[in-house]
Amino acid sequence: MNKLYPSAAEALKGIVKDGQMLAVGGFGLCGIPEALIDALQASGVKNLTVISNNAGVDGFGLGKLLATRQIKKMISSYVGENKEFERQYLSGELELEFTPQGTLAEKLRAGGAGIPAFFTRTGVGTIVAEGKEVREFDGVKYVMERSLVPDVSLVKAYVADKSGNLVFRKTARNFNPNVAMAGRITVVEVEKIVETGELDPDQIHLPGIFVHRIVLNATPEKRIEQRTVRAAA
């Protein structure tokens, strides 16, 4: 099975459609699949439900899809860096399902593991638990959360071999492995591609069984979300 595609547009061809649920890896602007997001924008698909920790920033990352109104709903845990996100939500143009960050990660991990739902203490007694089943275990209340299984997952990794085995780089590992596991179809953008067998099996972060398509983006922009500098003494 050839998993390599010549461009991000080709990697998305035939699998992204209007009205789908997509999951996108990254945390802030760290570890986001930049080329795949641009290709998704160019595809023109709309009415998307997008699962991601946040929605990028104005004009970059998922912020590009908000600007073109291709997203109808976000399932996120943090939205504080995106003014257009805030504007669309407050004006009723964008649906938002706020999800605690750890719960969001577990929804994706559980979805990838074939677990349809789980119980967590997070959110009990708050609006997060409204309309959900709450059960008591050993004298403690837990709320049931449904897992997430997106139609397509877009992921950023550092290195892939031709079988789709992945290595992530430092904090870019964040949500990406869980997003990759959860997707019915997973497309991965990488900076390097090596031959199968070149990666040390003990250093592989995610096995290729979860990966369906791979595209090379050797020079991503990797924009810094919050640049902090120290003045010289």
Side-chain angles (χ1 to χ4, degrees):
M1 179 180 179
N2 180 24
K3 298 183 179 182
L4 304 183
Y5 284 73
S7 68
E10 285 296 315
L12 296 185
K13 191 173 181 180
I15 61 171
V16 292
K17 302 173 184 177
D18 292 351
Q20 284 181 320
M21 177 184 287
L22 274 64
V24 180
F27 185 100
L29 298 182
C30 178
I32 64 171
E34 298 175 21
L36 290 172
I37 292 172
D38 286 347
L40 187 62
Q41 181 187 34
S43 75
V45 295
K46 56 187 184 297
N47 295 324
L48 299 173
T49 295
V50 178
I51 307 158
S52 187
N53 181 66
N54 59 299
V57 297
D58 294 290
F60 197 70
L62 290 175
K64 292 183 176 182
L65 299 181
L66 289 174
T68 51
R69 307 300 178 84
Q70 289 170 262
I71 300 175
K72 72 169 184 179
K73 179 179 179 179
M74 285 294 307
I75 300 175
S76 299
S77 69
Y78 178 68
V79 300
E81 301 297 330
N82 193 314
K83 289 184 172 57
E84 179 61 14
F85 192 139
E86 177 186 18
R87 190 199 66 74
Q88 288 188 25
Y89 172 60
L90 293 177
S91 64
E93 300 171 30
L94 177 71
E95 297 176 52
L96 173 61
E97 185 177 320
F98 257 138
T99 306
Q101 197 167 81
T103 301
L104 182 61
E106 181 61 13
K107 278 173 171 279
L108 291 162
R109 190 208 66 80
I115 300 169
F118 58 93
F119 284 91
T120 175
R121 293 179 66 180
T122 304
V124 172
T126 74
I127 59 172
V128 170
E130 288 182 3
K132 300 174 183 176
E133 180 182 352
V134 176
R135 291 178 63 181
E136 189 172 301
F137 298 91
D138 300 321
V140 179
K141 290 183 178 180
Y142 294 78
V143 59
M144 190 182 80
E145 295 282 359
R146 291 296 308 268
S147 303
L148 291 168
V149 182
D151 299 301
V152 178
S153 284
L154 306 182
V155 173
K156 168 65 188 292
Y158 182 51
V159 183
D161 68 17
K162 291 183 177 180
S163 293
N165 298 304
L166 302 181
V167 174
F168 300 94
R169 188 170 188 271
K170 299 182 179 181
T171 52
R173 197 167 173 179
N174 51 55
F175 275 83
N176 278 299
N178 289 341
V179 167
M181 289 175 62
R184 290 187 171 91
I185 300 176
T186 293
V187 186
V188 182
E189 171 184 329
V190 298
E191 296 177 44
K192 297 181 182 180
I193 298 174
V194 300
E195 294 294 330
T196 298
E198 284 191 39
L199 296 176
D200 180 345
D202 286 335
Q203 301 303 314
I204 290 171
H205 296 146
L206 191 79
I209 192 171
F210 293 108
V211 176
H212 303 91
R213 299 185 177 192
I214 305 167
V215 63
L216 179 68
N217 180 13
T219 56
E221 182 178 343
K222 295 185 181 180
R223 190 178 298 186
I224 296 174
E225 188 172 358
Q226 297 279 357
R227 184 180 293 274
T228 302
V229 297
R230 181 179 297 172

